[in-house]
Amino acid sequence: MNQRGILIIDFGGQYTQLIARRVRECGVYSEILPYTAGIEEIRQAAPVGVILSGGPASVLDADAPTIDPAVFDLGVPVLGICYGMQLMAHLLGGDIRRGDTREYGRTSVTVDDPTGLLKELAHENTCWMSHTWQVVRVPEGFHVAAHTASCPTAAMADESRRLYGVQFHPEVTHTHHGTQLLKAFLLDICHAPAEWSMAAYAEQAVKAIRAQVGEGTVLLGLSGGVDSAVAAALLQRAIGKRLTCVYIDHGFMRAGESDQVEEVFTRTFPVNLVRVDASSRFFHALEGVIEPEEKRHIIGREFVEAFKEASAKLGRLDHFAQGTIYPDVIESGQVKGSAVIKSHHNVGGLPAELGFTSLVEPLRMLFKDEVRRLGLTLGLPETLVNRQPFPGPGLAIRVIGEVTPEKVRIVRESDRILREEVAAAGVKASQYFTVLTNAKSVGVMGDERTYAYAIAIRAVTTDDFMTADVVRMPWEVLDRITARIIGEVNGCNRVLYDVTTKPPASIEWE
């Protein structure tokens, strides 16, 4: 960590990545390390502050995740959140016990000390709680800074050692003034420099790419998604036409997207682009396949084989690049540098024996929203950068049941109509798409009986894609979408609207 930033210690909390994103949104750089990191590794990172994340365990369990107490003697501020606060209290001599009442969801927190960390919170503040255990006696040197009706310590502080804990989650939007609390910790207590920006990152990344690649050449697998497109634009800025991009068109992209990829990387960001139409091999491999996970596996396997065949025709290239982003690194358990070509995205499983000198991953420290901002900073078209989230297998997993060219045509055309109408109406949604159900029904069109597919529309709003609510689409918009799909897309005679939240459903159908 050379950014004078914040180190987040992950204890398995569902919001750990969200903490890191919120810190960066405040203009401060952040990185995540697992709780298994030793104190020397933490010390070598030289953070200006440390945050201990939440987690699902109890600190009193025999095998509970823990950390070297020396972290509290680093001389930098430490903030414990939920489990992180309980662990801090436990390691420093406080008492933890199971609460008589569990607190989950929005909870009213009473602020007892409206200074320091909590200075921006109201006396009664709505916060997001998710805990069973609670701190019943704070360690020596601490004082209780907030409480709830059933939790005696909703926040605690030791101002002399700059150690703080909150039982609630300031990183989620449900906590009122949560961002202000984080800013108080980052800017006023840690005095962290608010220097994190995409323009600065782009300049730094270009230098790093040039230092790694030298005068060599780079091969990048373009998937058609945002991550690989932004990686390509950044690499092109760094090394120009010494970058070769191979785009495997598996036949499952949305309307116009393959042509857009080709346009951008032959004109706006000119590179050596090889576009391979491999749709026939993918459709052939998927014949008779119904199970979603099997579809994903087959598509991943065929992508690798098609990519290997295309790259073998290009001759010797020095380095291999891919659009790995920070969540990939975290979820793979490799939060530090990687020396081998590993499984990520559509190039998952690419064998190291292809002989590349090194792996170039210019986005590996960025979250998805930061990748989008970087893309705009680099000058990529807004229509490409801010396109709807799209799974690697593409429309193949938006066709329920066996995948055929005819079914993909139906879902592609209906999806295009949906996107056009949602954009025209200005409907706010985080993600929206159509699904070709495997259900056929009887209908009447032009006084004739039909027996055709039902199309389902899915539209959700979400902050983090871990949970999602249904978009209350205006009826007149749904009416226009339905009329156009039935009138313009051959093969379907019924349109359905999915009104299921996540959970219990996932956002995608497969």
Side-chain angles (χ1 to χ4, degrees), residues 117-366:
L117 186 71
L118 307 183
K119 66 179 182 179
E120 296 296 332
L121 272 65
H123 179 63
E124 294 292 334
N125 203 79
T126 299
C127 299
W128 188 260
M129 289 282 197
S130 180
H131 70 103
T132 299
W133 297 81
Q134 55 187 222
V135 177
V136 295
R137 183 179 65 83
V138 299
E140 184 177 353
F142 283 79
H143 68 273
V144 174
H147 69 278
T148 73
S150 60
C151 180
T153 310
M156 65 181 193
D158 180 341
E159 298 289 354
S160 64
R161 288 190 289 174
R162 297 186 295 170
L163 304 179
Y164 306 86
V166 291
Q167 185 60 66
F168 53 89
H169 290 273
E171 69 274 20
V172 304
T173 56
H174 307 298
T175 293
H176 295 177
H177 308 297
T179 299
Q180 290 91 326
L181 183 152
L182 289 174
K183 283 185 176 179
F185 178 72
L186 301 171
L187 306 180
D188 300 337
I189 296 173
C190 297
H191 303 293
E195 300 170 346
W196 177 249
S197 70
M198 286 302 100
Y201 182 86
E203 181 179 345
Q204 175 186 333
V206 165
K207 292 179 181 177
I209 291 167
R210 289 172 177 167
Q212 179 179 355
V213 172
E215 296 301 315
T217 53
V218 176
L219 174 64
L220 171 71
L222 269 176
S223 68
V226 174
D227 299 338
S228 64
V230 174
L234 190 58
L235 285 158
Q236 190 271 347
R237 174 175 287 193
I239 63 172
K241 287 199 171 183
R242 285 186 286 130
L243 170 66
T244 297
C245 294
V246 174
Y247 174 53
I248 304 297
D249 186 352
H250 49 30
F252 307 134
M253 297 298 287
R254 290 171 292 201
E257 289 186 337
S258 291
D259 291 338
Q260 183 186 36
V261 169
E262 183 172 4
E263 172 74 15
V264 167
F265 291 105
T266 55
R267 296 181 182 274
T268 310
F269 292 87
V271 301
N272 297 314
L273 177 65
V274 178
R275 177 176 174 178
V276 179
D277 182 0
S279 56
S280 59
R281 74 181 293 163
F282 281 88
F283 280 115
H284 178 72
L286 290 170
E287 287 179 2
V289 177
I290 296 175
E291 209 279 322
E293 284 306 306
E294 188 177 358
K295 288 182 187 178
R296 291 176 181 271
H297 177 77
I298 290 171
I299 291 169
R301 181 194 69 208
E302 292 299 322
F303 186 93
V304 169
E305 292 304 313
F307 186 87
K308 285 167 60 179
E309 291 173 12
S311 61
K313 300 175 182 177
L314 298 173
R316 168 76 181 184
L317 293 170
D318 302 310
H319 307 270
F320 180 72
Q322 59 188 25
T324 308
I325 63 176
Y326 202 27
D328 302 326
V329 178
I330 297 166
E331 290 161 10
S332 69
Q334 300 186 21
V335 293
K336 301 197 315 183
S338 174
V340 297
I341 296 176
K342 55 192 183 300
S343 298
H344 279 304
H345 304 313
N346 291 333
V347 195
L350 188 72
E353 62 264 21
L354 286 183
F356 293 105
T357 303
S358 74
L359 176 65
V360 183
E361 296 177 308
L363 310 181
R364 67 178 285 115
M365 299 311 296
L366 299 185

